Short mmCIF file of all heavy atoms in Angstrom, two decimals:
data_model
loop_
_atom_site.label_atom_id
_atom_site.label_comp_id
_atom_site.label_asym_id
_atom_site.label_seq_id
_atom_site.Cartn_x
_atom_site.Cartn_y
_atom_site.Cartn_z
N GLU A 1 0.83 -1.19 0.00
CA GLU A 1 0.00 0.00 0.00
C GLU A 1 0.87 1.24 0.00
O GLU A 1 1.97 1.24 0.52
CB GLU A 1 -0.91 0.00 1.22
CG GLU A 1 -1.93 -1.10 1.20
CD GLU A 1 -2.89 -1.01 2.37
OE1 GLU A 1 -2.98 0.05 2.99
OE2 GLU A 1 -3.53 -2.03 2.64
N GLY A 2 0.37 2.31 -0.54
CA GLY A 2 1.11 3.56 -0.59
C GLY A 2 1.99 3.64 -1.83
O GLY A 2 2.04 2.73 -2.65
N TRP A 3 2.68 4.75 -1.94
CA TRP A 3 3.57 4.99 -3.07
C TRP A 3 4.87 4.20 -2.90
O TRP A 3 5.40 4.11 -1.82
CB TRP A 3 3.90 6.48 -3.18
CG TRP A 3 2.72 7.33 -3.50
CD1 TRP A 3 2.00 8.10 -2.63
CD2 TRP A 3 2.12 7.52 -4.78
NE1 TRP A 3 0.99 8.74 -3.30
CE2 TRP A 3 1.05 8.41 -4.62
CE3 TRP A 3 2.40 7.03 -6.05
CZ2 TRP A 3 0.26 8.82 -5.68
CZ3 TRP A 3 1.60 7.44 -7.11
CH2 TRP A 3 0.54 8.32 -6.91
N GLN A 4 5.37 3.67 -4.01
CA GLN A 4 6.60 2.88 -4.01
C GLN A 4 7.63 3.54 -4.93
O GLN A 4 7.26 4.08 -5.98
CB GLN A 4 6.34 1.47 -4.56
CG GLN A 4 5.30 0.69 -3.83
CD GLN A 4 5.85 0.07 -2.57
OE1 GLN A 4 6.95 -0.43 -2.56
NE2 GLN A 4 5.09 0.14 -1.50
N LEU A 5 8.89 3.49 -4.56
CA LEU A 5 10.00 3.84 -5.45
C LEU A 5 10.81 2.57 -5.69
O LEU A 5 11.12 1.85 -4.76
CB LEU A 5 10.92 4.88 -4.80
CG LEU A 5 10.45 6.31 -4.73
CD1 LEU A 5 11.52 7.18 -4.05
CD2 LEU A 5 10.15 6.86 -6.11
N VAL A 6 11.12 2.33 -6.95
CA VAL A 6 11.88 1.15 -7.33
C VAL A 6 13.01 1.58 -8.24
O VAL A 6 12.79 2.32 -9.20
CB VAL A 6 11.00 0.12 -8.07
CG1 VAL A 6 11.80 -1.09 -8.50
CG2 VAL A 6 9.82 -0.29 -7.21
N ALA A 7 14.23 1.12 -7.95
CA ALA A 7 15.38 1.39 -8.81
C ALA A 7 15.74 0.11 -9.54
O ALA A 7 15.87 -0.95 -8.93
CB ALA A 7 16.56 1.88 -7.97
N LEU A 8 15.90 0.22 -10.87
CA LEU A 8 16.25 -0.92 -11.70
C LEU A 8 17.58 -0.66 -12.40
O LEU A 8 17.87 0.48 -12.78
CB LEU A 8 15.16 -1.16 -12.76
CG LEU A 8 13.74 -1.38 -12.25
CD1 LEU A 8 12.77 -1.42 -13.41
CD2 LEU A 8 13.67 -2.64 -11.42
N ASP A 9 18.36 -1.70 -12.59
CA ASP A 9 19.59 -1.60 -13.37
C ASP A 9 19.19 -1.42 -14.83
O ASP A 9 18.42 -2.20 -15.38
CB ASP A 9 20.42 -2.88 -13.19
CG ASP A 9 21.74 -2.80 -13.92
OD1 ASP A 9 21.72 -2.89 -15.17
OD2 ASP A 9 22.78 -2.65 -13.26
N ALA A 10 19.71 -0.37 -15.48
CA ALA A 10 19.31 -0.04 -16.85
C ALA A 10 19.71 -1.11 -17.86
O ALA A 10 19.04 -1.28 -18.88
CB ALA A 10 19.91 1.30 -17.25
N LYS A 11 20.77 -1.83 -17.61
CA LYS A 11 21.23 -2.86 -18.56
C LYS A 11 20.53 -4.19 -18.37
O LYS A 11 20.15 -4.84 -19.33
CB LYS A 11 22.74 -3.04 -18.44
CG LYS A 11 23.53 -1.86 -18.93
CD LYS A 11 25.01 -2.12 -18.84
CE LYS A 11 25.78 -0.90 -19.33
NZ LYS A 11 27.21 -1.09 -19.23
N THR A 12 20.36 -4.62 -17.13
CA THR A 12 19.85 -5.96 -16.87
C THR A 12 18.38 -5.98 -16.46
O THR A 12 17.75 -7.02 -16.52
CB THR A 12 20.65 -6.64 -15.74
OG1 THR A 12 20.42 -5.92 -14.52
CG2 THR A 12 22.14 -6.65 -16.07
N GLY A 13 17.86 -4.85 -16.00
CA GLY A 13 16.49 -4.81 -15.48
C GLY A 13 16.37 -5.34 -14.07
O GLY A 13 15.28 -5.40 -13.52
N GLN A 14 17.51 -5.72 -13.48
CA GLN A 14 17.50 -6.24 -12.11
C GLN A 14 17.09 -5.15 -11.12
O GLN A 14 17.51 -4.01 -11.21
CB GLN A 14 18.88 -6.76 -11.73
CG GLN A 14 18.97 -7.28 -10.32
CD GLN A 14 20.38 -7.76 -9.97
OE1 GLN A 14 21.28 -7.73 -10.78
NE2 GLN A 14 20.55 -8.20 -8.75
N ARG A 15 16.24 -5.54 -10.17
CA ARG A 15 15.79 -4.61 -9.13
C ARG A 15 16.95 -4.37 -8.17
O ARG A 15 17.51 -5.29 -7.60
CB ARG A 15 14.61 -5.20 -8.39
CG ARG A 15 13.96 -4.26 -7.40
CD ARG A 15 12.76 -4.91 -6.77
NE ARG A 15 11.84 -5.29 -7.83
CZ ARG A 15 10.55 -4.97 -7.86
NH1 ARG A 15 10.02 -4.34 -6.86
NH2 ARG A 15 9.79 -5.34 -8.86
N LEU A 16 17.32 -3.08 -7.99
CA LEU A 16 18.41 -2.71 -7.08
C LEU A 16 17.91 -2.45 -5.67
O LEU A 16 18.54 -2.85 -4.71
CB LEU A 16 19.15 -1.49 -7.63
CG LEU A 16 19.74 -1.65 -9.03
CD1 LEU A 16 20.30 -0.34 -9.52
CD2 LEU A 16 20.78 -2.74 -9.04
N TRP A 17 16.80 -1.74 -5.57
CA TRP A 17 16.17 -1.49 -4.28
C TRP A 17 14.73 -1.07 -4.51
O TRP A 17 14.35 -0.68 -5.60
CB TRP A 17 16.93 -0.46 -3.44
CG TRP A 17 17.23 0.86 -4.09
CD1 TRP A 17 18.41 1.24 -4.67
CD2 TRP A 17 16.36 1.99 -4.24
NE1 TRP A 17 18.31 2.51 -5.17
CE2 TRP A 17 17.06 3.01 -4.91
CE3 TRP A 17 15.05 2.24 -3.87
CZ2 TRP A 17 16.51 4.24 -5.22
CZ3 TRP A 17 14.48 3.47 -4.17
CH2 TRP A 17 15.23 4.45 -4.83
N GLU A 18 13.96 -1.16 -3.42
CA GLU A 18 12.55 -0.76 -3.45
C GLU A 18 12.20 -0.22 -2.07
O GLU A 18 12.55 -0.83 -1.06
CB GLU A 18 11.66 -1.94 -3.78
CG GLU A 18 10.19 -1.62 -3.78
CD GLU A 18 9.35 -2.82 -4.19
OE1 GLU A 18 9.90 -3.87 -4.54
OE2 GLU A 18 8.12 -2.68 -4.14
N ILE A 19 11.51 0.92 -2.03
CA ILE A 19 11.08 1.49 -0.76
C ILE A 19 9.62 1.92 -0.87
O ILE A 19 9.12 2.19 -1.96
CB ILE A 19 11.95 2.69 -0.31
CG1 ILE A 19 11.86 3.83 -1.30
CG2 ILE A 19 13.38 2.28 -0.06
CD1 ILE A 19 12.44 5.14 -0.80
N THR A 20 8.95 2.01 0.26
CA THR A 20 7.62 2.58 0.35
C THR A 20 7.76 3.98 0.92
O THR A 20 8.41 4.18 1.95
CB THR A 20 6.72 1.73 1.28
OG1 THR A 20 6.65 0.41 0.74
CG2 THR A 20 5.33 2.32 1.39
N LEU A 21 7.19 4.97 0.23
CA LEU A 21 7.25 6.35 0.72
C LEU A 21 6.41 6.49 1.97
O LEU A 21 5.37 5.85 2.12
CB LEU A 21 6.75 7.31 -0.35
CG LEU A 21 7.53 7.35 -1.66
CD1 LEU A 21 6.89 8.34 -2.62
CD2 LEU A 21 8.98 7.70 -1.42
N ARG A 22 6.86 7.34 2.86
CA ARG A 22 6.13 7.62 4.11
C ARG A 22 4.77 8.23 3.79
O ARG A 22 4.67 9.09 2.92
CB ARG A 22 6.90 8.64 4.96
CG ARG A 22 8.29 8.28 5.29
CD ARG A 22 9.03 9.38 6.04
NE ARG A 22 9.27 10.53 5.14
CZ ARG A 22 8.99 11.78 5.42
NH1 ARG A 22 8.47 12.10 6.59
NH2 ARG A 22 9.23 12.75 4.58
N PRO A 23 3.73 7.80 4.49
CA PRO A 23 2.43 8.47 4.30
C PRO A 23 2.50 9.87 4.90
O PRO A 23 3.09 10.07 5.96
CB PRO A 23 1.45 7.58 5.06
CG PRO A 23 2.27 6.80 6.01
CD PRO A 23 3.65 6.70 5.43
N LEU A 24 1.92 10.84 4.21
CA LEU A 24 1.94 12.22 4.71
C LEU A 24 0.62 12.59 5.37
O LEU A 24 0.59 12.96 6.51
CB LEU A 24 2.24 13.20 3.57
CG LEU A 24 3.61 13.09 2.93
CD1 LEU A 24 3.78 14.16 1.86
CD2 LEU A 24 4.72 13.20 3.95
N PHE A 25 -0.45 12.54 4.63
CA PHE A 25 -1.79 12.85 5.13
C PHE A 25 -2.79 12.37 4.10
O PHE A 25 -2.41 11.71 3.14
CB PHE A 25 -1.97 14.33 5.46
CG PHE A 25 -1.33 15.28 4.48
CD1 PHE A 25 -1.93 15.57 3.28
CD2 PHE A 25 -0.10 15.87 4.77
CE1 PHE A 25 -1.34 16.45 2.39
CE2 PHE A 25 0.50 16.73 3.87
CZ PHE A 25 -0.12 17.02 2.69
N ALA A 26 -4.04 12.69 4.26
CA ALA A 26 -5.11 12.15 3.41
C ALA A 26 -4.88 12.41 1.92
O ALA A 26 -5.16 11.57 1.09
CB ALA A 26 -6.45 12.70 3.85
N VAL A 27 -4.40 13.60 1.57
CA VAL A 27 -4.15 13.94 0.17
C VAL A 27 -2.65 13.87 -0.06
O VAL A 27 -1.89 14.71 0.39
CB VAL A 27 -4.67 15.36 -0.16
CG1 VAL A 27 -4.40 15.70 -1.60
CG2 VAL A 27 -6.15 15.46 0.17
N ASP A 28 -2.20 12.84 -0.75
CA ASP A 28 -0.77 12.62 -0.97
C ASP A 28 -0.55 12.24 -2.42
O ASP A 28 -0.93 11.16 -2.85
CB ASP A 28 -0.27 11.52 -0.03
CG ASP A 28 1.23 11.28 -0.16
OD1 ASP A 28 1.92 12.11 -0.77
OD2 ASP A 28 1.69 10.26 0.33
N TRP A 29 0.04 13.15 -3.19
CA TRP A 29 0.31 12.90 -4.60
C TRP A 29 1.80 12.99 -4.85
O TRP A 29 2.47 13.86 -4.30
CB TRP A 29 -0.36 13.93 -5.47
CG TRP A 29 -1.85 13.97 -5.42
CD1 TRP A 29 -2.68 13.23 -4.63
CD2 TRP A 29 -2.68 14.82 -6.19
NE1 TRP A 29 -3.97 13.56 -4.87
CE2 TRP A 29 -4.01 14.54 -5.82
CE3 TRP A 29 -2.44 15.78 -7.14
CZ2 TRP A 29 -5.09 15.19 -6.39
CZ3 TRP A 29 -3.51 16.42 -7.71
CH2 TRP A 29 -4.82 16.12 -7.34
N VAL A 30 2.31 12.14 -5.71
CA VAL A 30 3.67 12.30 -6.23
C VAL A 30 3.52 13.08 -7.53
O VAL A 30 2.85 12.63 -8.46
CB VAL A 30 4.34 10.93 -6.48
CG1 VAL A 30 5.67 11.12 -7.18
CG2 VAL A 30 4.53 10.18 -5.17
N ARG A 31 4.10 14.26 -7.56
CA ARG A 31 3.92 15.15 -8.71
C ARG A 31 5.08 15.07 -9.70
O ARG A 31 4.89 15.33 -10.88
CB ARG A 31 3.75 16.59 -8.23
CG ARG A 31 2.50 16.79 -7.42
CD ARG A 31 2.31 18.26 -7.09
NE ARG A 31 1.14 18.46 -6.28
CZ ARG A 31 -0.06 18.74 -6.76
NH1 ARG A 31 -0.24 18.81 -8.05
NH2 ARG A 31 -1.08 18.91 -5.94
N ASN A 32 6.28 14.76 -9.22
CA ASN A 32 7.44 14.80 -10.10
C ASN A 32 8.57 13.98 -9.50
O ASN A 32 8.71 13.92 -8.28
CB ASN A 32 7.89 16.26 -10.28
CG ASN A 32 8.81 16.45 -11.46
OD1 ASN A 32 8.92 15.60 -12.32
ND2 ASN A 32 9.50 17.57 -11.48
N LEU A 33 9.36 13.36 -10.35
CA LEU A 33 10.58 12.65 -9.94
C LEU A 33 11.72 13.16 -10.79
O LEU A 33 11.58 13.28 -12.00
CB LEU A 33 10.44 11.14 -10.17
CG LEU A 33 9.36 10.39 -9.42
CD1 LEU A 33 9.23 8.99 -9.98
CD2 LEU A 33 9.69 10.33 -7.95
N GLU A 34 12.85 13.45 -10.17
CA GLU A 34 14.04 13.92 -10.89
C GLU A 34 15.26 13.26 -10.28
O GLU A 34 15.34 13.09 -9.06
CB GLU A 34 14.20 15.44 -10.76
CG GLU A 34 13.11 16.26 -11.39
CD GLU A 34 13.21 16.34 -12.89
OE1 GLU A 34 14.33 16.21 -13.43
OE2 GLU A 34 12.17 16.54 -13.54
N VAL A 35 16.23 12.91 -11.11
CA VAL A 35 17.51 12.41 -10.64
C VAL A 35 18.58 13.31 -11.21
O VAL A 35 18.62 13.58 -12.41
CB VAL A 35 17.76 10.95 -11.09
CG1 VAL A 35 19.12 10.48 -10.63
CG2 VAL A 35 16.68 10.04 -10.57
N GLY A 36 19.46 13.82 -10.35
CA GLY A 36 20.54 14.68 -10.80
C GLY A 36 21.33 15.19 -9.63
O GLY A 36 20.83 15.29 -8.51
N GLY A 37 22.59 15.49 -9.88
CA GLY A 37 23.43 16.04 -8.83
C GLY A 37 23.61 15.09 -7.66
O GLY A 37 23.80 15.53 -6.53
N GLY A 38 23.52 13.79 -7.92
CA GLY A 38 23.69 12.82 -6.85
C GLY A 38 22.48 12.66 -5.94
O GLY A 38 22.60 12.09 -4.86
N LEU A 39 21.31 13.16 -6.38
CA LEU A 39 20.10 13.06 -5.57
C LEU A 39 18.94 12.56 -6.40
O LEU A 39 18.87 12.79 -7.60
CB LEU A 39 19.71 14.43 -5.00
CG LEU A 39 20.63 15.06 -3.97
CD1 LEU A 39 20.18 16.48 -3.68
CD2 LEU A 39 20.65 14.24 -2.70
N LEU A 40 18.02 11.88 -5.74
CA LEU A 40 16.71 11.56 -6.30
C LEU A 40 15.72 12.47 -5.60
O LEU A 40 15.59 12.43 -4.37
CB LEU A 40 16.36 10.09 -6.05
CG LEU A 40 14.92 9.66 -6.32
CD1 LEU A 40 14.54 9.89 -7.77
CD2 LEU A 40 14.72 8.21 -5.93
N LEU A 41 15.06 13.34 -6.35
CA LEU A 41 14.11 14.30 -5.79
C LEU A 41 12.70 13.85 -6.10
O LEU A 41 12.37 13.55 -7.25
CB LEU A 41 14.34 15.69 -6.40
CG LEU A 41 15.77 16.23 -6.30
CD1 LEU A 41 15.90 17.51 -7.11
CD2 LEU A 41 16.15 16.44 -4.86
N VAL A 42 11.87 13.78 -5.07
CA VAL A 42 10.48 13.37 -5.22
C VAL A 42 9.61 14.53 -4.74
O VAL A 42 9.59 14.84 -3.56
CB VAL A 42 10.17 12.09 -4.41
CG1 VAL A 42 8.72 11.71 -4.58
CG2 VAL A 42 11.09 10.96 -4.83
N GLN A 43 8.90 15.16 -5.68
CA GLN A 43 8.00 16.25 -5.32
C GLN A 43 6.66 15.65 -4.96
O GLN A 43 6.05 14.94 -5.75
CB GLN A 43 7.84 17.22 -6.48
CG GLN A 43 6.94 18.38 -6.14
CD GLN A 43 6.75 19.32 -7.32
OE1 GLN A 43 7.27 19.09 -8.40
NE2 GLN A 43 6.00 20.36 -7.10
N ARG A 44 6.23 15.91 -3.74
CA ARG A 44 4.95 15.40 -3.27
C ARG A 44 3.96 16.54 -3.18
O ARG A 44 4.21 17.62 -3.69
CB ARG A 44 5.16 14.69 -1.95
CG ARG A 44 6.11 13.49 -2.21
CD ARG A 44 6.32 12.58 -1.11
NE ARG A 44 5.15 11.75 -0.82
CZ ARG A 44 5.14 10.90 0.18
NH1 ARG A 44 6.18 10.77 0.97
NH2 ARG A 44 4.08 10.17 0.41
N THR A 45 2.85 16.34 -2.54
CA THR A 45 1.78 17.32 -2.52
C THR A 45 2.28 18.72 -2.17
O THR A 45 2.05 19.67 -2.89
CB THR A 45 0.68 16.87 -1.54
OG1 THR A 45 0.23 15.59 -1.96
CG2 THR A 45 -0.47 17.84 -1.52
N SER A 46 3.00 18.88 -1.07
CA SER A 46 3.48 20.22 -0.68
C SER A 46 4.90 20.16 -0.12
O SER A 46 5.29 21.04 0.63
CB SER A 46 2.53 20.83 0.36
OG SER A 46 2.46 20.01 1.50
N SER A 47 5.65 19.14 -0.49
CA SER A 47 7.03 19.03 -0.01
C SER A 47 7.90 18.35 -1.06
O SER A 47 7.39 17.81 -2.05
CB SER A 47 7.08 18.24 1.30
OG SER A 47 6.67 16.90 1.09
N MET A 48 9.19 18.41 -0.86
CA MET A 48 10.17 17.75 -1.73
C MET A 48 11.02 16.85 -0.86
O MET A 48 11.59 17.30 0.14
CB MET A 48 11.06 18.79 -2.41
CG MET A 48 12.15 18.22 -3.26
SD MET A 48 11.62 17.74 -4.90
CE MET A 48 11.23 19.30 -5.62
N GLU A 49 11.09 15.57 -1.20
CA GLU A 49 11.93 14.63 -0.46
C GLU A 49 13.19 14.35 -1.25
O GLU A 49 13.15 14.23 -2.48
CB GLU A 49 11.17 13.34 -0.20
CG GLU A 49 9.98 13.55 0.71
CD GLU A 49 9.16 12.31 0.97
OE1 GLU A 49 9.31 11.31 0.26
OE2 GLU A 49 8.36 12.37 1.91
N LEU A 50 14.31 14.26 -0.55
CA LEU A 50 15.60 14.01 -1.18
C LEU A 50 16.08 12.63 -0.75
O LEU A 50 16.17 12.35 0.44
CB LEU A 50 16.62 15.07 -0.73
CG LEU A 50 16.35 16.50 -1.17
CD1 LEU A 50 15.30 17.14 -0.30
CD2 LEU A 50 17.61 17.29 -1.13
N TYR A 51 16.38 11.79 -1.75
CA TYR A 51 16.82 10.42 -1.50
C TYR A 51 18.19 10.18 -2.12
O TYR A 51 18.55 10.83 -3.11
CB TYR A 51 15.84 9.42 -2.12
CG TYR A 51 14.49 9.39 -1.46
CD1 TYR A 51 13.47 10.24 -1.86
CD2 TYR A 51 14.23 8.51 -0.42
CE1 TYR A 51 12.23 10.21 -1.25
CE2 TYR A 51 12.99 8.48 0.20
CZ TYR A 51 12.00 9.34 -0.22
OH TYR A 51 10.78 9.30 0.39
N ASP A 52 18.91 9.22 -1.58
CA ASP A 52 20.16 8.75 -2.16
C ASP A 52 19.80 7.77 -3.27
O ASP A 52 19.19 6.74 -3.00
CB ASP A 52 21.01 8.06 -1.09
CG ASP A 52 22.36 7.64 -1.58
OD1 ASP A 52 22.52 7.39 -2.80
OD2 ASP A 52 23.28 7.54 -0.76
N PRO A 53 20.14 8.07 -4.54
CA PRO A 53 19.75 7.17 -5.62
C PRO A 53 20.47 5.81 -5.59
O PRO A 53 20.01 4.87 -6.20
CB PRO A 53 20.09 7.94 -6.89
CG PRO A 53 21.08 8.95 -6.47
CD PRO A 53 20.82 9.26 -5.02
N ALA A 54 21.55 5.70 -4.84
CA ALA A 54 22.29 4.43 -4.76
C ALA A 54 21.57 3.39 -3.91
O ALA A 54 21.69 2.19 -4.17
CB ALA A 54 23.69 4.68 -4.21
N ASN A 55 20.81 3.87 -2.89
CA ASN A 55 20.20 2.90 -1.97
C ASN A 55 18.77 3.25 -1.53
O ASN A 55 18.16 2.49 -0.79
CB ASN A 55 21.08 2.73 -0.73
CG ASN A 55 21.34 4.03 -0.01
OD1 ASN A 55 20.56 4.97 -0.09
ND2 ASN A 55 22.45 4.11 0.69
N GLY A 56 18.24 4.39 -1.95
CA GLY A 56 16.88 4.77 -1.60
C GLY A 56 16.70 5.37 -0.22
O GLY A 56 15.59 5.61 0.22
N LYS A 57 17.80 5.66 0.46
CA LYS A 57 17.71 6.22 1.81
C LYS A 57 17.24 7.68 1.75
O LYS A 57 17.75 8.48 0.98
CB LYS A 57 19.08 6.15 2.50
CG LYS A 57 19.06 6.71 3.90
CD LYS A 57 20.42 6.64 4.56
CE LYS A 57 20.36 7.28 5.93
NZ LYS A 57 21.68 7.39 6.53
N LEU A 58 16.25 8.00 2.61
CA LEU A 58 15.76 9.37 2.72
C LEU A 58 16.84 10.24 3.36
O LEU A 58 17.32 9.95 4.45
CB LEU A 58 14.48 9.42 3.55
CG LEU A 58 13.87 10.79 3.80
CD1 LEU A 58 13.41 11.43 2.50
CD2 LEU A 58 12.72 10.69 4.79
N LEU A 59 17.22 11.31 2.67
CA LEU A 59 18.26 12.22 3.17
C LEU A 59 17.68 13.46 3.83
O LEU A 59 18.30 14.04 4.71
CB LEU A 59 19.19 12.63 2.03
CG LEU A 59 19.91 11.48 1.32
CD1 LEU A 59 20.67 12.02 0.11
CD2 LEU A 59 20.83 10.75 2.28
N GLY A 60 16.51 13.88 3.39
CA GLY A 60 15.91 15.07 3.98
C GLY A 60 14.62 15.45 3.27
O GLY A 60 14.26 14.87 2.25
N THR A 61 13.94 16.43 3.84
CA THR A 61 12.66 16.90 3.31
C THR A 61 12.65 18.42 3.32
O THR A 61 13.08 19.04 4.30
CB THR A 61 11.49 16.37 4.17
OG1 THR A 61 11.56 14.95 4.18
CG2 THR A 61 10.16 16.80 3.61
N LEU A 62 12.15 19.00 2.25
CA LEU A 62 11.98 20.45 2.16
C LEU A 62 10.49 20.74 2.04
O LEU A 62 9.78 20.04 1.32
CB LEU A 62 12.70 20.99 0.92
CG LEU A 62 14.19 20.69 0.81
CD1 LEU A 62 14.70 21.10 -0.57
CD2 LEU A 62 14.94 21.42 1.89
N GLY A 63 10.03 21.77 2.71
CA GLY A 63 8.64 22.17 2.59
C GLY A 63 7.78 21.61 3.72
O GLY A 63 8.27 21.02 4.67
N ARG A 64 6.47 21.80 3.55
CA ARG A 64 5.51 21.39 4.59
C ARG A 64 4.99 20.00 4.30
O ARG A 64 4.60 19.70 3.18
CB ARG A 64 4.37 22.39 4.64
CG ARG A 64 4.84 23.76 5.08
CD ARG A 64 3.77 24.78 5.05
NE ARG A 64 2.42 24.22 4.90
CZ ARG A 64 1.34 24.86 5.22
NH1 ARG A 64 1.41 26.06 5.73
NH2 ARG A 64 0.15 24.32 5.04
N GLU A 65 4.93 19.18 5.32
CA GLU A 65 4.42 17.82 5.18
C GLU A 65 3.02 17.66 5.77
O GLU A 65 2.41 16.61 5.60
CB GLU A 65 5.36 16.85 5.87
CG GLU A 65 6.72 16.78 5.23
CD GLU A 65 7.59 15.77 5.91
OE1 GLU A 65 7.91 16.00 7.09
OE2 GLU A 65 7.92 14.76 5.30
N THR A 66 2.54 18.66 6.47
CA THR A 66 1.23 18.57 7.10
C THR A 66 0.45 19.87 6.89
O THR A 66 1.03 20.91 6.58
CB THR A 66 1.35 18.32 8.62
OG1 THR A 66 2.05 19.42 9.21
CG2 THR A 66 2.07 17.03 8.90
N TYR A 67 -0.85 19.78 7.06
CA TYR A 67 -1.67 20.98 7.07
C TYR A 67 -1.58 21.64 8.43
O TYR A 67 -1.42 20.99 9.43
CB TYR A 67 -3.14 20.63 6.82
CG TYR A 67 -3.42 20.12 5.43
CD1 TYR A 67 -4.01 18.88 5.26
CD2 TYR A 67 -3.13 20.88 4.30
CE1 TYR A 67 -4.31 18.41 3.97
CE2 TYR A 67 -3.41 20.42 3.05
CZ TYR A 67 -4.01 19.19 2.88
OH TYR A 67 -4.29 18.73 1.64
N ASP A 68 -1.70 22.98 8.45
CA ASP A 68 -1.73 23.71 9.72
C ASP A 68 -3.15 23.79 10.24
O ASP A 68 -4.10 23.76 9.56
CB ASP A 68 -1.18 25.12 9.56
CG ASP A 68 0.32 25.09 9.36
OD1 ASP A 68 0.97 24.11 9.77
OD2 ASP A 68 0.84 26.07 8.79
#
């Protein structure tokens, strides 16, 4: 259940890692994914999560994750 991120080897198609994104609140959309500068950026409803593309580890979050 929930949003999943999966990294695949481009040559072999082998699954490198898979993670489930943390639930934020009732309205949770993944709006954009970008890889660059050594980061995997996931734009969600009102925040941006930064992941290590080598292993899927969450490095940090920018923006608001909850309603006030």
Side-chain angles (χ1 to χ4, degrees):
E1 293 184 18
W3 295 102
Q4 303 280 319
L5 285 180
V6 178
L8 303 173
D9 183 286
K11 291 182 181 178
T12 66
Q14 178 182 359
R15 187 177 303 232
L16 302 174
W17 53 261
E18 178 177 356
I19 62 168
T20 301
L21 298 179
R22 304 175 291 130
L24 295 183
F25 40 79
V27 179
D28 182 14
W29 297 4
V30 173
R31 295 185 182 267
N32 196 16
L33 298 170
E34 296 283 334
V35 178
L39 293 172
L40 168 60
L41 306 172
V42 179
Q43 182 182 2
R44 297 187 72 182
T45 302
S46 60
S47 65
M48 176 82 67
E49 295 178 345
L50 295 79
Y51 292 88
D52 184 333
N55 57 26
K57 180 180 177 188
L58 178 64
L59 301 174
T61 302
L62 303 171
R64 295 176 13 160
E65 295 182 295
T66 61
Y67 292 123
D68 288 337

